[in-house]
Amino acid sequence: MTNTVLADIYRGYIACLNSQDWPRLGQFVAEDVHYNGERIGLSGYRSMLEEDFRAIPDLHFHIELLVSEPPRIASRLQFNCTPKGMLFDLAVNGRRVSFSENVFYQFTGERIAAVWSVIDKAAIAAQLT
């Protein structure tokens, strides 16, 4: 698989998330996906994302940086959103916050097999003081 093809698949995955097209999620995510070292499976991954959208109704994934080196993707995602209550153990309570997520994906074929995510919680905390 080329860098361009993998990057296009990833962009399709992000579009799937932003449209909350959950029935299509399995097109991009493997059935036995791991998240931060734990096997959560496709159903657990979907549940996690659905909960994210319930907690943050205006959630939108914006790709700020994308590096494709098959079978891996490295991405910096940017968020500008209004969580309803708690976010990462921080009382956001409807305030608008901006933060980034540095996330790495391991693909098997055309589907995500593993995800490692680091969210900039300090940026959120700084906006709440």
Side-chain angles (χ1 to χ4, degrees):
M1 182 178 318
T2 68
N3 296 357
T4 303
V5 168
L6 188 60
D8 287 345
I9 291 169
Y10 180 72
R11 286 184 187 94
Y13 161 73
I14 294 298
C16 176
L17 298 185
N18 284 332
S19 66
Q20 299 179 56
D21 188 358
W22 306 131
R24 244 184 61 194
L25 188 62
Q27 175 184 335
F28 300 101
V29 179
E31 191 64 42
D32 63 343
V33 67
H34 287 70
Y35 181 79
N36 284 345
E38 178 185 347
R39 184 190 178 283
I40 62 171
L42 178 57
S43 64
Y45 197 76
R46 177 178 171 165
S47 293
M48 177 184 68
L49 289 165
E50 288 174 334
E51 179 55 37
D52 290 344
F53 277 94
R54 276 191 292 277
I56 312 168
D58 63 347
L59 183 61
H60 181 82
F61 293 75
H62 172 74
I63 301 170
E64 186 174 273
L65 177 66
L66 175 61
V67 178
S68 175
E69 188 175 303
R72 293 174 199 87
I73 289 276
S75 182
R76 181 175 176 87
L77 299 171
Q78 187 63 38
F79 302 93
N80 184 358
C81 55
T82 313
K84 291 193 292 189
M86 298 294 287
L87 181 66
F88 313 120
D89 298 321
L90 298 168
V92 178
N93 298 324
R95 291 197 278 186
R96 189 161 216 47
V97 292
S98 296
F99 62 95
S100 59
E101 175 184 18
N102 296 308
V103 61
F104 303 89
Y105 303 85
Q106 175 79 34
F107 282 73
T108 298
E110 296 183 352
R111 296 193 306 163
I112 297 166
V115 180
W116 297 271
S117 167
V118 179
I119 294 172
D120 188 356
K121 296 176 188 176
I124 300 167
Q127 294 168 67
L128 300 176
T129 58

